[in-house]
Coordinates of all heavy atoms in Angstrom, one line a residue:
M889 N 0.8 -1.2 0.0 CA 0.0 0.0 0.0 C 0.9 1.2 0.0 O 1.8 1.3 0.8 CB -0.9 0.0 1.3 CG -2.2 0.5 1.0 SD -3.2 0.0 2.5 CE -4.3 1.3 2.4
K890 N 0.5 2.2 -0.8 CA 1.3 3.4 -0.9 C 0.9 4.4 0.2 O -0.2 4.5 0.5 CB 1.0 4.1 -2.3 CG 2.2 4.3 -3.1 CD 1.7 5.0 -4.4 CE 2.9 5.3 -5.2 NZ 2.6 6.0 -6.4
K891 N 2.0 5.1 0.7 CA 1.7 6.1 1.7 C 1.0 7.3 1.0 O 1.2 7.6 -0.1 CB 3.0 6.7 2.3 CG 3.6 5.8 3.3 CD 4.8 6.4 3.9 CE 5.4 5.6 4.9 NZ 6.6 6.2 5.5
Q892 N 0.1 7.9 1.8 CA -0.6 9.1 1.3 C 0.4 10.2 1.3 O 1.1 10.5 2.2 CB -1.8 9.4 2.3 CG -2.8 8.4 2.3 CD -4.1 8.9 1.6 OE1 -4.2 10.1 1.4 NE2 -4.9 8.0 1.2
S893 N 0.4 10.9 0.2 CA 1.4 12.1 0.1 C 0.8 13.3 0.8 O -0.4 13.5 0.8 CB 1.6 12.4 -1.4 OG 0.4 12.8 -2.0
K894 N 1.7 14.0 1.5 CA 1.3 15.1 2.3 C 1.1 16.3 1.3 O 1.9 16.4 0.3 CB 2.3 15.5 3.3 CG 2.4 14.4 4.4 CD 3.5 14.8 5.4 CE 3.7 13.7 6.4 NZ 4.7 13.9 7.3
P895 N 0.2 17.2 1.6 CA 0.1 18.4 0.7 C 1.4 19.3 0.9 O 1.8 19.5 2.0 CB -1.1 19.1 1.2 CG -1.4 18.6 2.6 CD -0.8 17.2 2.6
T896 N 1.9 19.7 -0.3 CA 3.2 20.4 -0.2 C 2.9 21.8 -0.8 O 2.0 22.1 -1.5 CB 4.2 19.8 -1.1 OG1 3.8 19.7 -2.4 CG2 4.6 18.4 -0.6
S897 N 3.8 22.7 -0.3 CA 3.7 24.1 -0.8 C 5.2 24.5 -1.1 O 6.1 24.0 -0.6 CB 3.2 25.0 0.3 OG 1.9 24.7 0.6
Q898 N 5.3 25.6 -1.9 CA 6.6 26.1 -2.3 C 7.0 27.1 -1.3 O 6.3 28.0 -0.9 CB 6.5 26.7 -3.7 CG 7.9 26.7 -4.3 CD 7.7 26.9 -5.8 OE1 6.6 26.9 -6.4 NE2 8.8 27.1 -6.5
F899 N 8.3 27.0 -0.8 CA 8.8 27.9 0.2 C 10.2 28.4 -0.3 O 10.9 27.7 -1.0 CB 9.0 27.2 1.5 CG 7.7 26.9 2.2 CD1 7.1 25.7 2.1 CD2 7.1 27.9 3.0 CE1 5.9 25.4 2.7 CE2 5.8 27.6 3.6 CZ 5.3 26.4 3.4
I900 N 10.6 29.6 0.1 CA 11.9 30.1 -0.2 C 12.7 30.2 1.2 O 12.3 30.9 2.1 CB 11.9 31.5 -0.8 CG1 11.1 31.4 -2.1 CG2 13.3 32.0 -1.0 CD1 10.7 32.7 -2.7
F901 N 13.8 29.4 1.2 CA 14.7 29.4 2.4 C 15.8 30.3 2.1 O 16.6 30.2 1.1 CB 15.2 28.0 2.7 CG 14.1 27.0 3.1 CD1 13.4 26.4 2.1 CD2 13.9 26.7 4.4 CE1 12.4 25.5 2.5 CE2 13.0 25.8 4.8 CZ 12.2 25.2 3.8
T902 N 16.1 31.3 3.0 CA 17.2 32.3 2.9 C 18.1 32.0 4.0 O 17.8 32.1 5.2 CB 16.7 33.7 2.9 OG1 15.7 33.9 2.0 CG2 17.9 34.7 2.7
V903 N 19.4 31.6 3.6 CA 20.4 31.1 4.6 C 21.5 32.1 4.5 O 22.1 32.4 3.5 CB 20.9 29.7 4.3 CG1 21.9 29.3 5.3 CG2 19.7 28.7 4.3
Y904 N 21.9 32.7 5.7 CA 23.1 33.5 5.8 C 24.1 32.6 6.5 O 23.9 32.1 7.6 CB 22.9 34.8 6.6 CG 22.1 35.8 5.8 CD1 20.7 35.9 6.0 CD2 22.7 36.6 4.9 CE1 20.0 36.8 5.2 CE2 22.0 37.6 4.2 CZ 20.7 37.7 4.4 OH 19.9 38.6 3.6
A905 N 25.3 32.4 5.9 CA 26.3 31.5 6.5 C 27.7 31.9 6.1 O 27.9 32.8 5.2 CB 26.1 30.1 5.9
E906 N 28.7 31.4 6.8 CA 30.1 31.6 6.5 C 30.4 30.9 5.2 O 29.8 29.9 4.9 CB 31.0 31.0 7.6 CG 30.8 31.8 8.9 CD 31.7 31.1 10.0 OE1 32.7 30.5 9.7 OE2 31.3 31.2 11.2
D907 N 31.3 31.5 4.4 CA 31.7 30.9 3.1 C 32.7 29.8 3.3 O 33.9 30.1 3.5 CB 32.2 32.0 2.2 CG 32.5 31.6 0.8 OD1 31.9 30.5 0.4 OD2 33.2 32.3 0.1
K908 N 32.2 28.6 3.4 CA 33.1 27.4 3.6 C 32.9 26.4 2.6 O 31.8 26.3 2.0 CB 32.8 26.8 5.0 CG 33.0 27.7 6.2 CD 34.5 27.9 6.4 CE 34.7 28.7 7.7 NZ 36.0 29.0 8.0
R909 N 33.9 25.7 2.3 CA 33.9 24.6 1.3 C 32.9 23.5 1.7 O 33.0 23.1 2.9 CB 35.3 24.0 1.0 CG 35.3 23.0 0.0 CD 36.7 22.5 -0.1 NE 37.6 23.6 -0.4 CZ 38.4 23.6 -1.5 NH1 38.5 22.6 -2.3 NH2 39.2 24.7 -1.7
G910 N 32.0 23.0 0.8 CA 31.1 21.9 1.2 C 29.8 22.4 1.8 O 29.0 21.5 2.1
L911 N 29.6 23.7 2.0 CA 28.4 24.1 2.7 C 27.1 23.8 1.9 O 26.1 23.3 2.5 CB 28.5 25.6 3.0 CG 27.2 26.2 3.7 CD1 27.0 25.6 5.0 CD2 27.4 27.7 3.8
I912 N 27.2 24.0 0.6 CA 26.0 23.7 -0.3 C 25.6 22.2 -0.1 O 24.5 21.9 0.0 CB 26.3 24.1 -1.7 CG1 26.6 25.6 -1.9 CG2 25.1 23.7 -2.6 CD1 25.4 26.5 -1.6
G913 N 26.6 21.4 -0.1 CA 26.4 19.9 0.0 C 25.7 19.6 1.3 O 24.8 18.8 1.4
Q914 N 26.2 20.3 2.4 CA 25.6 20.0 3.7 C 24.1 20.5 3.7 O 23.3 19.8 4.3 CB 26.3 20.8 4.8 CG 27.7 20.2 5.1 CD 28.4 21.0 6.2 OE1 28.2 22.2 6.4 NE2 29.2 20.3 7.0
L915 N 23.8 21.6 3.1 CA 22.4 22.1 3.1 C 21.6 21.2 2.2 O 20.4 20.8 2.6 CB 22.4 23.5 2.5 CG 23.1 24.6 3.3 CD1 23.1 25.9 2.6 CD2 22.3 24.8 4.6
M916 N 22.1 20.8 1.1 CA 21.3 20.0 0.1 C 21.0 18.6 0.7 O 20.0 18.0 0.3 CB 21.9 19.9 -1.2 CG 22.0 21.3 -1.9 SD 20.5 22.2 -1.9 CE 19.4 21.2 -2.8
V917 N 21.8 18.1 1.6 CA 21.5 16.7 2.1 C 20.2 16.7 2.8 O 19.4 15.7 2.7 CB 22.7 16.4 3.2 CG1 22.2 15.3 4.1 CG2 23.9 16.0 2.4
F918 N 19.8 17.8 3.5 CA 18.5 17.8 4.2 C 17.3 17.8 3.2 O 16.3 17.3 3.5 CB 18.4 19.0 5.1 CG 19.4 19.0 6.3 CD1 20.5 19.7 6.3 CD2 19.1 18.1 7.3 CE1 21.4 19.6 7.4 CE2 20.0 18.1 8.4 CZ 21.1 18.8 8.4
F919 N 17.5 18.4 2.1 CA 16.4 18.4 1.1 C 16.4 17.1 0.3 O 15.3 16.5 0.0 CB 16.6 19.6 0.1 CG 16.4 20.9 0.7 CD1 17.4 21.6 1.3 CD2 15.1 21.5 0.7 CE1 17.2 22.9 1.9 CE2 14.9 22.7 1.3 CZ 16.0 23.4 1.9
N920 N 17.6 16.5 -0.1 CA 17.6 15.3 -0.8 C 17.2 14.1 0.0 O 16.6 13.2 -0.6 CB 19.0 15.1 -1.4 CG 19.4 16.1 -2.4 OD1 18.5 16.7 -3.1 ND2 20.6 16.4 -2.6
R921 N 17.5 14.1 1.3 CA 17.2 12.9 2.1 C 15.7 12.7 2.2 O 15.2 11.6 2.3 CB 17.7 13.2 3.5 CG 17.8 12.0 4.4 CD 18.3 12.3 5.8 NE 19.7 12.7 5.7 CZ 20.4 13.4 6.6 NH1 19.7 13.8 7.7 NH2 21.6 13.7 6.5
R922 N 14.9 13.8 2.1 CA 13.4 13.7 2.2 C 12.8 13.8 0.9 O 11.5 13.9 0.8 CB 12.9 14.8 3.2 CG 13.4 14.7 4.6 CD 12.9 13.5 5.3 NE 11.5 13.5 5.3 CZ 10.8 13.3 6.4 NH1 11.3 13.1 7.5 NH2 9.5 13.3 6.3
Y923 N 13.5 13.8 -0.2 CA 13.0 13.9 -1.6 C 12.2 15.2 -1.8 O 11.2 15.1 -2.5 CB 12.2 12.7 -2.0 CG 13.0 11.4 -1.9 CD1 12.8 10.5 -0.8 CD2 14.0 11.1 -2.8 CE1 13.5 9.3 -0.7 CE2 14.7 9.9 -2.7 CZ 14.5 9.0 -1.7 OH 15.2 7.9 -1.6
Y924 N 12.6 16.3 -1.3 CA 12.0 17.6 -1.5 C 12.5 18.1 -2.9 O 13.7 18.0 -3.2 CB 12.3 18.6 -0.5 CG 11.8 18.2 0.9 CD1 12.5 18.6 2.0 CD2 10.6 17.5 1.1 CE1 12.1 18.3 3.3 CE2 10.2 17.2 2.4 CZ 10.9 17.6 3.5 OH 10.5 17.2 4.7
D925 N 11.6 18.6 -3.7 CA 12.0 19.1 -5.0 C 12.6 20.5 -4.8 O 12.0 21.4 -4.2 CB 10.8 19.2 -5.9 CG 10.3 17.9 -6.3 OD1 11.1 16.9 -6.4 OD2 9.1 17.8 -6.6
V926 N 13.8 20.7 -5.3 CA 14.5 22.0 -5.2 C 14.4 22.6 -6.6 O 14.9 22.1 -7.6 CB 16.0 21.9 -4.8 CG1 16.7 23.3 -4.8 CG2 16.0 21.4 -3.4
Y927 N 13.8 23.8 -6.7 CA 13.6 24.5 -8.0 C 14.6 25.5 -8.3 O 14.9 25.7 -9.5 CB 12.2 25.2 -8.1 CG 11.1 24.2 -8.0 CD1 10.3 24.0 -6.8 CD2 10.7 23.4 -9.1 CE1 9.3 23.1 -6.7 CE2 9.7 22.5 -9.0 CZ 9.0 22.3 -7.8 OH 8.0 21.4 -7.7
S928 N 15.2 26.1 -7.3 CA 16.2 27.1 -7.5 C 17.2 27.2 -6.4 O 16.8 27.0 -5.2 CB 15.4 28.5 -7.6 OG 16.4 29.5 -7.7
L929 N 18.4 27.4 -6.7 CA 19.5 27.5 -5.7 C 20.4 28.7 -6.2 O 20.8 28.7 -7.3 CB 20.3 26.2 -5.6 CG 21.5 26.3 -4.7 CD1 21.1 26.4 -3.3 CD2 22.3 25.0 -4.9
N930 N 20.6 29.7 -5.3 CA 21.4 30.8 -5.6 C 22.3 31.2 -4.5 O 21.9 31.2 -3.3 CB 20.4 32.0 -5.9 CG 21.2 33.2 -6.5 OD1 22.2 33.0 -7.1 ND2 20.7 34.4 -6.2
V931 N 23.5 31.5 -4.8 CA 24.5 31.9 -3.8 C 25.0 33.3 -4.2 O 25.4 33.5 -5.3 CB 25.7 30.9 -3.8 CG1 26.7 31.4 -2.7 CG2 25.2 29.5 -3.5
A932 N 25.0 34.2 -3.2 CA 25.5 35.6 -3.5 C 26.3 36.0 -2.3 O 26.1 35.7 -1.1 CB 24.3 36.5 -3.6
R933 N 27.4 36.8 -2.6 CA 28.2 37.4 -1.6 C 27.5 38.5 -1.0 O 26.6 39.2 -1.6 CB 29.5 37.9 -2.2 CG 30.4 36.8 -2.7 CD 31.8 37.1 -2.5 NE 32.6 35.9 -2.8 CZ 33.0 35.0 -1.9 NH1 32.6 35.1 -0.7 NH2 33.8 34.0 -2.3
T934 N 27.8 38.8 0.3 CA 27.3 40.0 1.0 C 28.4 41.0 1.2 O 29.5 40.8 0.8 CB 26.7 39.6 2.3 OG1 27.7 39.0 3.2 CG2 25.6 38.5 2.2
D935 N 28.0 42.1 1.8 CA 29.0 43.2 2.1 C 30.0 42.7 3.1 O 31.1 43.2 3.2 CB 28.3 44.4 2.6 CG 27.5 45.1 1.5 OD1 27.8 44.8 0.4 OD2 26.5 45.9 1.9
I936 N 29.7 41.8 4.0 CA 30.6 41.2 5.0 C 31.4 40.1 4.2 O 30.9 39.2 3.6 CB 29.9 40.6 6.2 CG1 29.0 41.7 6.8 CG2 30.8 40.0 7.1 CD1 28.1 41.2 7.9
S937 N 32.7 40.2 4.3 CA 33.6 39.5 3.4 C 33.4 37.9 3.5 O 33.5 37.3 2.5 CB 35.1 39.8 3.7 OG 35.4 39.4 5.0
D938 N 33.2 37.4 4.6 CA 33.1 35.9 4.8 C 31.7 35.4 4.9 O 31.5 34.2 5.2 CB 33.9 35.4 6.0 CG 35.4 35.6 5.9 OD1 35.8 35.7 4.7 OD2 36.1 35.6 6.9
L939 N 30.7 36.2 4.6 CA 29.3 35.8 4.7 C 28.7 35.8 3.3 O 28.9 36.6 2.5 CB 28.6 36.9 5.6 CG 27.3 36.5 6.2 CD1 27.5 35.4 7.2 CD2 26.6 37.6 6.8
V940 N 27.9 34.7 3.1 CA 27.2 34.5 1.8 C 25.7 34.3 2.1 O 25.3 33.9 3.2 CB 27.7 33.3 1.0 CG1 29.1 33.5 0.5 CG2 27.6 32.0 1.8
M941 N 24.9 34.7 1.2 CA 23.5 34.5 1.3 C 23.1 33.4 0.2 O 23.4 33.6 -0.9 CB 22.7 35.8 0.9 CG 21.2 35.6 1.0 SD 20.3 37.1 0.7 CE 20.5 37.2 -1.1
I942 N 22.4 32.4 0.7 CA 22.0 31.3 -0.1 C 20.5 31.3 -0.1 O 19.9 31.2 1.0 CB 22.6 30.0 0.4 CG1 24.1 30.0 0.5 CG2 22.1 28.8 -0.5 CD1 24.7 28.9 1.3
T943 N 19.9 31.3 -1.3 CA 18.4 31.2 -1.4 C 18.1 29.8 -2.0 O 18.6 29.5 -3.1 CB 17.8 32.3 -2.1 OG1 18.4 32.4 -3.4 CG2 17.9 33.6 -1.4
I944 N 17.2 29.1 -1.4 CA 16.8 27.8 -1.9 C 15.3 27.8 -2.1 O 14.5 28.1 -1.1 CB 17.2 26.7 -1.0 CG1 18.7 26.7 -0.7 CG2 16.7 25.3 -1.5 CD1 19.1 25.8 0.4
E945 N 14.8 27.6 -3.3 CA 13.3 27.6 -3.5 C 13.0 26.1 -3.7 O 13.5 25.4 -4.6 CB 13.0 28.3 -4.8 CG 11.5 28.5 -5.0 CD 11.2 29.4 -6.1 OE1 12.2 30.0 -6.7 OE2 10.1 29.5 -6.5
A946 N 12.1 25.6 -2.8 CA 11.8 24.2 -2.7 C 10.4 23.9 -2.4 O 9.7 24.7 -1.7 CB 12.7 23.4 -1.7
T947 N 9.9 22.7 -2.7 CA 8.6 22.3 -2.4 C 8.7 21.4 -1.1 O 9.4 20.4 -1.2 CB 7.9 21.5 -3.5 OG1 7.8 22.3 -4.7 CG2 6.5 21.0 -3.1
V948 N 8.1 21.8 0.0 CA 8.2 21.1 1.3 C 6.8 21.1 1.9 O 6.0 22.0 1.8 CB 9.1 21.9 2.2 CG1 9.2 21.3 3.6 CG2 10.5 22.1 1.6
P949 N 6.4 19.9 2.5 CA 5.1 19.9 3.2 C 5.1 21.0 4.3 O 6.1 21.1 5.1 CB 5.1 18.5 3.8 CG 6.0 17.7 3.0 CD 7.1 18.7 2.5
A950 N 4.0 21.7 4.4 CA 3.9 22.8 5.4 C 4.2 22.4 6.8 O 4.9 23.2 7.5 CB 2.5 23.5 5.3
P951 N 3.8 21.3 7.3 CA 4.1 20.9 8.7 C 5.5 20.7 9.0 O 6.0 20.7 10.1 CB 3.3 19.6 9.0 CG 2.3 19.6 7.9 CD 2.8 20.3 6.7
E952 N 6.3 20.4 7.9 CA 7.7 20.1 8.1 C 8.7 21.3 7.9 O 9.9 21.1 8.1 CB 8.1 18.9 7.2 CG 7.4 17.7 7.5 CD 7.7 16.5 6.5 OE1 8.7 16.6 5.8 OE2 6.9 15.6 6.4
V953 N 8.2 22.4 7.6 CA 9.0 23.6 7.3 C 9.8 24.0 8.5 O 11.0 24.3 8.5 CB 8.1 24.8 6.8 CG1 8.9 26.0 6.7 CG2 7.6 24.4 5.4
F954 N 9.1 24.1 9.7 CA 9.8 24.6 10.9 C 10.9 23.6 11.3 O 12.0 24.0 11.7 CB 8.8 24.7 12.1 CG 9.4 25.2 13.3 CD1 9.8 26.5 13.5 CD2 9.7 24.3 14.4 CE1 10.5 26.9 14.7 CE2 10.3 24.7 15.5 CZ 10.7 26.0 15.7
T955 N 10.7 22.3 11.2 CA 11.7 21.3 11.5 C 12.9 21.4 10.6 O 14.0 21.4 11.1 CB 11.1 19.9 11.4 OG1 9.9 19.8 12.2 CG2 12.0 18.8 11.8
L956 N 12.6 21.6 9.3 CA 13.7 21.7 8.4 C 14.5 23.0 8.6 O 15.7 23.0 8.6 CB 13.2 21.7 6.9 CG 14.2 21.9 5.8 CD1 15.2 20.7 5.9 CD2 13.5 21.9 4.5
Q957 N 13.8 24.1 9.0 CA 14.5 25.3 9.3 C 15.4 25.2 10.5 O 16.5 25.7 10.5 CB 13.4 26.4 9.6 CG 14.0 27.8 9.9 CD 12.9 28.8 10.1 OE1 11.7 28.5 10.3 NE2 13.3 30.1 10.2
E958 N 15.0 24.5 11.5 CA 15.8 24.3 12.7 C 17.0 23.4 12.4 O 18.1 23.6 12.9 CB 14.9 23.7 13.9 CG 13.9 24.6 14.4 CD 14.6 25.9 14.9 OE1 15.6 25.8 15.7 OE2 14.1 27.0 14.6
K959 N 16.8 22.4 11.6 CA 17.9 21.5 11.2 C 19.0 22.3 10.4 O 20.2 22.1 10.6 CB 17.4 20.3 10.3 CG 16.7 19.3 11.1 CD 16.3 18.1 10.3 CE 15.5 17.1 11.1 NZ 15.0 16.0 10.2
L960 N 18.6 23.2 9.6 CA 19.5 24.0 8.8 C 20.3 24.9 9.7 O 21.5 25.2 9.6 CB 18.8 24.8 7.7 CG 18.2 24.0 6.6 CD1 17.4 24.9 5.6 CD2 19.2 23.2 5.8
R961 N 19.6 25.5 10.8 CA 20.2 26.4 11.7 C 21.3 25.7 12.5 O 22.2 26.3 13.0 CB 19.2 26.9 12.7 CG 18.5 28.1 12.2 CD 17.7 28.8 13.3 NE 16.9 29.9 12.7 CZ 15.6 30.1 13.0 NH1 15.0 29.3 13.9 NH2 15.0 31.1 12.4
K962 N 21.2 24.4 12.7 CA 22.2 23.6 13.5 C 23.5 23.4 12.9 O 24.5 23.0 13.5 CB 21.6 22.3 14.0 CG 20.5 22.5 15.0 CD 20.0 21.1 15.5 CE 18.8 21.3 16.5 NZ 18.3 20.1 16.9
I963 N 23.6 23.7 11.6 CA 24.9 23.6 10.9 C 25.8 24.7 11.4 O 25.3 25.9 11.5 CB 24.7 23.7 9.3 CG1 23.8 22.5 8.8 CG2 26.0 23.7 8.6 CD1 23.4 22.6 7.4
I964 N 27.0 24.4 11.7 CA 27.9 25.3 12.4 C 28.1 26.6 11.7 O 28.1 27.7 12.3 CB 29.2 24.6 12.7 CG1 29.0 23.5 13.8 CG2 30.2 25.6 13.3 CD1 30.2 22.6 14.0
E965 N 28.3 26.5 10.4 CA 28.6 27.7 9.6 C 27.4 28.6 9.4 O 27.5 29.8 9.0 CB 29.1 27.3 8.2 CG 30.5 26.7 8.2 CD 30.5 25.2 8.5 OE1 29.4 24.6 8.5 OE2 31.5 24.7 8.8
V966 N 26.2 28.2 9.6 CA 24.9 28.9 9.4 C 24.7 29.9 10.5 O 24.7 29.6 11.7 CB 23.7 28.0 9.2 CG1 22.4 28.8 9.1 CG2 23.9 27.1 8.0
H967 N 24.4 31.2 10.1 CA 24.1 32.2 11.1 C 22.6 32.4 11.3 O 22.2 32.6 12.4 CB 24.7 33.6 10.6 CG 26.2 33.6 10.7 ND1 26.9 33.8 11.9 CD2 27.1 33.5 9.7 CE1 28.2 33.7 11.6 NE2 28.4 33.6 10.3
S968 N 21.9 32.4 10.2 CA 20.4 32.5 10.3 C 19.7 31.9 9.1 O 20.3 31.8 8.0 CB 20.0 34.0 10.4 OG 20.2 34.6 9.2
V969 N 18.5 31.5 9.3 CA 17.6 30.9 8.3 C 16.3 31.5 8.4 O 15.7 31.5 9.4 CB 17.5 29.4 8.4 CG1 16.6 28.8 7.3 CG2 18.8 28.7 8.4
T970 N 15.8 32.1 7.3 CA 14.4 32.6 7.2 C 13.6 31.9 6.1 O 14.2 31.5 5.1 CB 14.4 34.1 7.0 OG1 15.0 34.4 5.7 CG2 15.0 34.9 8.1
V971 N 12.3 31.7 6.3 CA 11.5 31.0 5.4 C 10.4 31.9 5.0 O 9.7 32.6 5.8 CB 10.9 29.7 6.0 CG1 10.0 29.0 5.0 CG2 12.0 28.8 6.5
T972 N 10.2 32.0 3.6 CA 9.1 32.8 3.1 C 8.2 31.9 2.2 O 8.8 31.1 1.4 CB 9.7 33.9 2.2 OG1 10.7 34.6 2.9 CG2 8.7 34.9 1.7
P973 N 6.9 32.0 2.3 CA 6.1 31.2 1.4 C 6.4 31.6 -0.1 O 6.6 32.8 -0.4 CB 4.7 31.6 1.7 CG 4.8 32.1 3.1 CD 6.1 32.8 3.2
G974 N 6.5 30.6 -1.0 CA 6.8 30.9 -2.4 C 5.8 31.8 -3.1 O 6.2 32.4 -4.1
E975 N 4.6 31.7 -2.7 CA 3.5 32.6 -3.4 C 3.8 34.0 -3.2 O 3.5 34.9 -4.0 CB 2.1 32.2 -2.9 CG 1.7 30.8 -3.1 CD 2.2 29.8 -2.1 OE1 2.4 30.2 -0.9 OE2 2.4 28.7 -2.5
V976 N 4.4 34.4 -2.0 CA 4.7 35.8 -1.7 C 5.8 36.3 -2.5 O 5.8 37.4 -3.0 CB 5.0 36.0 -0.2 CG1 5.4 37.4 0.1 CG2 3.8 35.6 0.6
G977 N 6.9 35.5 -2.6 CA 8.1 35.9 -3.4 C 8.9 36.8 -2.5 O 8.6 37.2 -1.4
L978 N 10.1 37.1 -3.1 CA 11.0 38.1 -2.4 C 11.1 39.3 -3.2 O 11.1 39.3 -4.4 CB 12.3 37.4 -2.2 CG 12.4 36.2 -1.3 CD1 13.8 35.6 -1.4 CD2 12.1 36.6 0.1
K979 N 11.3 40.4 -2.5 CA 11.5 41.7 -3.2 C 13.0 41.7 -3.7 O 13.9 41.3 -2.9 CB 11.3 42.9 -2.3 CG 9.8 43.1 -2.0 CD 9.6 44.3 -1.2 CE 8.2 44.5 -0.8 NZ 7.9 45.7 0.0
K980 N 13.2 42.0 -4.9 CA 14.6 42.1 -5.4 C 15.1 43.5 -5.1 O 14.5 44.5 -5.5 CB 14.6 41.7 -6.9 CG 14.0 40.4 -7.1 CD 14.6 39.8 -8.3 CE 14.1 38.4 -8.7 NZ 13.5 37.6 -7.9
T981 N 16.3 43.5 -4.5 CA 17.0 44.8 -4.2 C 18.3 44.8 -4.9 O 19.1 43.9 -4.7 CB 17.1 44.9 -2.7 OG1 15.8 44.8 -2.1 CG2 17.7 46.3 -2.4
G982 N 18.6 45.9 -5.6 CA 19.9 46.0 -6.2 C 20.8 47.1 -5.5 O 20.2 48.1 -5.1
F983 N 22.0 46.8 -5.3 CA 22.9 47.7 -4.7 C 24.0 48.1 -5.7 O 24.6 47.2 -6.3 CB 23.6 47.2 -3.4 CG 22.6 46.9 -2.3 CD1 22.2 45.6 -2.1 CD2 22.2 47.9 -1.5 CE1 21.3 45.3 -1.1 CE2 21.3 47.6 -0.5 CZ 20.8 46.4 -0.3
Y984 N 24.2 49.3 -6.0 CA 25.1 49.8 -7.0 C 26.1 50.7 -6.4 O 25.8 51.4 -5.4 CB 24.4 50.5 -8.1 CG 23.4 49.6 -8.8 CD1 22.0 49.7 -8.4 CD2 23.7 48.7 -9.7 CE1 21.1 48.9 -9.0 CE2 22.8 47.9 -10.3 CZ 21.5 48.0 -10.0 OH 20.5 47.2 -10.6
R985 N 27.3 50.7 -6.9 CA 28.4 51.6 -6.5 C 28.5 52.7 -7.5 O 28.4 52.6 -8.6 CB 29.7 50.9 -6.3 CG 29.7 50.0 -5.1 CD 31.0 49.4 -4.9 NE 30.9 48.5 -3.8 CZ 31.9 47.9 -3.3 NH1 33.1 48.1 -3.7 NH2 31.7 47.1 -2.2

């Protein structure tokens, strides 16, 4: 008998972390282990030299979002994780010199 699939929604995870080798792999393990679909992955440098911003757009069951957010926060290099519903989207901000 097949398990009933949980209703999923699209979420955007924004991770601020230290720029270390293998960090993307550590983050993606949590998504791949549970077979969550990742639609977009973006890495950008910030004004702070050793800090990067990683945005991950993925389909995750709503009840499991908080648990996944806490697991991502426990990675040593991660400073903060915020989650935004995918329907809302993120405002794009450009900084120019």
Side-chain angles (χ1 to χ4, degrees):
M889 219 167 152
K890 238 181 177 181
K891 283 186 178 180
Q892 295 251 340
S893 62
K894 296 178 182 176
T896 59
S897 298
Q898 201 162 358
F899 292 95
I900 300 170
F901 294 82
T902 306
V903 179
Y904 287 96
E906 293 176 27
D907 189 14
K908 298 288 182 181
R909 183 181 302 235
L911 178 63
I912 299 293
Q914 286 180 332
L915 294 171
M916 295 313 298
V917 162
F918 292 104
F919 291 91
N920 292 334
R921 195 180 294 159
R922 301 292 302 228
Y923 300 105
Y924 298 146
D925 293 329
V926 175
Y927 295 105
S928 173
L929 174 69
N930 186 31
V931 180
R933 294 214 172 270
T934 61
D935 292 338
I936 301 171
S937 63
D938 290 341
L939 199 67
V940 292
M941 180 181 73
I942 303 166
T943 54
I944 303 167
E945 190 173 351
T947 301
V948 178
E952 297 178 18
V953 170
F954 180 75
T955 306
L956 180 59
Q957 182 180 10
E958 290 303 311
K959 286 181 181 179
L960 295 175
R961 275 193 187 133
K962 288 183 181 178
I963 297 174
I964 293 172
E965 291 84 12
V966 172
H967 291 282
S968 70
V969 179
T970 56
V971 180
T972 309
E975 297 83 29
V976 173
L978 295 175
K979 292 183 179 179
K980 301 208 180 343
T981 305
F983 297 100
Y984 301 97
R985 290 185 182 187

